[in-house]
Amino acid sequence: AQKITQTQPGMFVQEKEAVTLDCTYDTSDQSYGLFWYKQPSSGEMIFLIYQGSYDEQNATEGRYSLNFQKARKSANLVISASQLGDSAMYFCAMTSNFGNEKLTFGTGTRLTIIP
Amino acid sequence: SAVISQKPSRDICQRGTSLTIQCQVDSQVTMMFWYRQQPGQSLTLIATANQGSEATYESGFVIDKFPISRPNLTFSTLTVSNMSPEDSSIYLCSVGAFMGAFFGQGTRLTVV
């Protein structure tokens, strides 16, 4: 079984600053995928970024980057130059192995960007 | 990426009734997933829906309460049966992808 831990229930960040959202995971699988999703107040789940367990480079997507430290089993999301529209819930998730595409989610971090 | 249309987007239902949520995908997919998000909580997988076979339910979820249909490779429905206030949640359908799962807009259900 896999487990995702997000230890920051809420964060407040000044606009234009960078922010790091923490995520640690536990799995016995050698092959797995890690994901971050954004959930605004509307409730939709927006896919942000993906990291495969065998990827040597950290994933980046625009202002989002994933700081993947495999030995520490961490997959932190870094948002550069935060914007007011970044205020939302953020969920870290993982799949246990490729081909089994169901996701296990962490408890989430509520990010609030302060003007 | 896949485009997923889910409806209704929200509903208010009386206890004891049932609601069927529909999920339409713009491409053929093997597996579709149904998640529940209770107020203030994270997402929990209800079941995996494969075309042509019975859905696979996660621990704590049963077919009588959450029957699922998967008539073809682009469509699925989830029914929430005999609803109680504890069923008030956001329900989301999802399709898996090798490097990212995509979600419908969600159905915000309130049971009164």
Side-chain angles (χ1 to χ4, degrees), chain B residues 37-108:
Chain B
Q37 185 179 26
Q38 294 177 300
Q41 303 294 315
S42 186
L43 279 74
T44 301
L45 181 66
I46 297 171
T48 303
N50 292 314
Q51 194 269 336
S53 63
E54 293 285 332
T56 302
Y57 289 82
E58 298 297 306
S59 176
F61 298 96
V62 295
I63 187 171
D64 290 346
K65 177 66 175 177
F66 298 102
I68 287 171
S69 77
R70 183 79 200 275
N72 56 53
L73 290 173
T74 63
F75 187 78
S76 180
T77 67
L78 169 75
T79 298
V80 185
S81 303
N82 189 24
M83 288 184 286
S84 67
E86 291 71 35
D87 294 319
S88 297
S89 297
I90 298 175
Y91 293 85
L92 299 111
C93 67
S94 169
V95 299
F98 184 71
M99 295 190 293
F102 299 95
F103 287 81
Q105 302 93 324
T107 296
R108 191 179 295 269

Side-chain angles (χ1 to χ4, degrees), chain A residues 35 37 39 41-45 47 50 91 98-99 101-103 105-107, chain B residues 31 33 35 37 42-43 45 58 92 96-103 105 108:
Chain A
F35 308 85
Y37 288 87
Q39 186 179 45
S41 57
S42 60
E44 62 183 315
M45 293 291 285
F47 168 70
Y50 159 85
F91 291 96
F98 298 141
E101 298 168 12
K102 60 184 180 181
L103 292 168
F105 286 86
T107 51
Chain B
M31 290 185 285
F33 304 89
Y35 291 85
Q37 185 179 26
S42 186
L43 279 74
L45 181 66
E58 298 297 306
L92 299 111
F98 184 71
M99 295 190 293
F102 299 95
F103 287 81
Q105 302 93 324
R108 191 179 295 269

Side-chain angles (χ1 to χ4, degrees), chain B residues 9-46:
Chain B
S9 58
R10 59 176 62 233
D11 207 341
I12 302 173
C13 299
Q14 296 290 325
R15 66 178 67 198
T17 63
S18 298
L19 175 72
T20 296
I21 302 167
Q22 299 180 2
C23 186
Q24 179 77 50
V25 188
D26 68 343
S27 58
Q28 294 185 340
V29 294
T30 305
M31 290 185 285
M32 294 178 73
F33 304 89
W34 287 97
Y35 291 85
R36 181 178 73 180
Q37 185 179 26
Q38 294 177 300
Q41 303 294 315
S42 186
L43 279 74
T44 301
L45 181 66
I46 297 171

Side-chain angles (χ1 to χ4, degrees), chain A residues 43-64:
Chain A
E44 62 183 315
M45 293 291 285
I46 302 169
F47 168 70
L48 295 179
I49 198 166
Y50 159 85
Q51 178 85 41
S53 58
Y54 290 114
D55 294 340
E56 296 184 353
Q57 301 273 0
N58 285 343
T60 60
E61 290 287 348
R63 293 187 300 112
Y64 304 107

